[in-house]
Amino acid sequence: MEETRGRVTRDGIRIYEDADFQGMRTAGRVAAEILDMLGPLVHPGVTTAALDDFIREEIARRGVVSATIGYRGYEHASCISVNHVVCHGIPGTKVLADGDILNIDVTVIVDGWFGDTSRMYGAGNVPRKAERLIEITHESLMRGIAAVKPGNTFGDIGFAIQSYVEAARMSVVRDFCGHGLGRVFHAPPNVLHYGRVGSGAVLEEGMFFTIEPMVNLGRPETKVLADDWTAVTRDKSLSAQFEHSIGVTATGCEIFTLSPAGKFYPTQD
Ligand code: MF3
Ligand code: CO
Ligand code: CO
């Protein structure tokens, strides 16, 4: 859709207006509410297709639109990435086993605004090392978000995430990044989850983007499977991800995809 209001920075990043925050707030809340419903459905024996069917039906029931169905040929209402799948896992016949960890990523369009968020879930008893990966990944996202305020840079966000993750002896995926969004799904900038303090574009009030770090227990390298979507760790180590959609405010940022029920992390209590 052609954007007509607001302005675009030298780096090609759209600056939204005060009134636009309400659109993002509503879209973000719908996406978060759908993720809030999934905890009780995730358990050993369930297929990822069954989870996606639930999400598709819930999106329809709410009278909103899935951003992923029909996006570049993708046919599902979510991405479900299990264990060593880094992102863009395709829901299907895979049956969850005890101890599996999975990211569920949902993007909805509400009145033209995009709400994009993902969280980690566990099936049955999750091993301690997987739980620790999830905990570090969540905290890395929150540290990235804490670096968001006008005058800071995108590099400051990346540095906050990377330095925390690497201190925990885990690795940050380089091959996928966060993105601007708003009335479009993916827009400039690429939001890197690694970087140097003071590098990259300067943050300004009115920027809308996602932060969605993918963290691996082993090495950072990924590869995309023959289905052209599923990204996995090359060394088959476990991977985790959390994603929020946020907007830069005068003093910091607003998280549009907070869980109304406080279930973002931990996911299942
Ligand atoms: N929601 C994903 C993101 O965070 C994008 C999924 S695109 C799909 O940007 F086509 F794979 F669904
Ligand atoms: Co995203
Ligand atoms: Co997403």
Side-chain angles (χ1 to χ4, degrees):
M1 184 191 305
E2 201 52 39
E3 300 263 4
T4 50
R5 297 184 305 165
R7 67 183 178 88
V8 175
T9 69
R10 307 191 303 172
D11 304 288
I13 305 167
R14 180 161 293 279
I15 304 299
Y16 287 93
E17 296 168 1
D18 281 356
D20 298 333
F21 278 72
Q22 190 51 50
M24 290 300 285
R25 216 169 268 148
T26 305
R29 195 189 59 238
V30 169
E33 283 173 354
I34 293 170
L35 292 188
D36 279 353
M37 302 176 81
L38 303 177
L41 304 180
V42 173
H43 44 74
V46 167
T47 66
T48 54
L51 297 171
D52 188 68
D53 286 343
F54 176 88
I55 294 163
R56 185 187 304 256
E57 283 160 21
E58 188 58 28
I59 287 171
R61 196 185 68 77
R62 289 166 181 258
V64 300
V65 174
S66 165
T68 57
I69 298 171
Y71 177 78
R72 298 188 178 197
Y74 197 78
E75 295 176 336
H76 307 272
S78 62
C79 296
I80 304 186
S81 303
V82 182
N83 294 337
H84 74 298
V85 179
V86 172
C87 63
H88 302 162
I90 301 175
T93 54
K94 182 176 178 63
V95 178
L96 295 180
D98 185 55
D100 282 350
I101 61 166
L102 51 148
N103 175 276
I104 306 182
D105 189 338
V106 170
T107 310
V108 293
I109 312 170
V110 183
D111 295 334
W113 296 97
F114 285 69
D116 184 6
T117 181
S118 78
R119 303 178 195 164
M120 295 302 294
Y121 299 81
N125 293 308
V126 172
R128 177 61 201 150
K129 70 172 175 60
E131 192 56 58
R132 183 159 172 276
L133 169 66
I134 292 171
E135 191 181 305
I136 297 288
T137 306
H138 172 262
E139 179 62 19
S140 78
L141 168 60
M142 299 324 281
R143 286 181 183 227
I145 289 173
V148 176
K149 65 172 182 191
N152 279 6
T153 69
F154 281 95
D156 295 337
I157 300 172
F159 176 80
I161 294 167
Q162 180 184 13
S163 57
Y164 178 73
V165 166
E166 292 179 354
R169 305 213 153 270
M170 298 178 190
S171 67
V172 173
V173 168
R174 310 293 204 267
D175 302 334
F176 299 91
C177 55
H179 49 93
L181 83 173
R183 280 181 294 199
V184 291
F185 197 171
H186 294 110
N190 287 331
V191 180
L192 307 183
H193 303 114
Y194 58 93
R196 289 191 312 275
V197 171
S199 71
V202 177
L203 298 166
E204 291 182 44
E205 184 177 359
M207 290 178 175
F208 295 165
F209 54 88
T210 72
I211 307 179
E212 47 182 302
M214 287 139 276
V215 175
N216 299 347
L217 270 185
R219 294 197 47 82
E221 291 81 11
T222 71
K223 68 175 177 189
V224 175
L225 301 185
D227 61 23
D228 276 345
W229 283 105
T230 312
V232 299
T233 55
R234 280 194 176 264
D235 65 5
K236 301 209 166 60
S237 67
L238 285 180
S239 189
Q241 179 178 29
F242 283 86
E243 175 176 26
H244 271 315
S245 297
I246 69 175
V248 183
T249 63
T251 55
C253 74
E254 176 174 344
I255 304 175
F256 298 127
T257 46
L258 280 177
S259 164
K263 292 180 180 176
F264 189 68
Y265 178 78
T267 305
Q268 252 143 339
D269 295 344

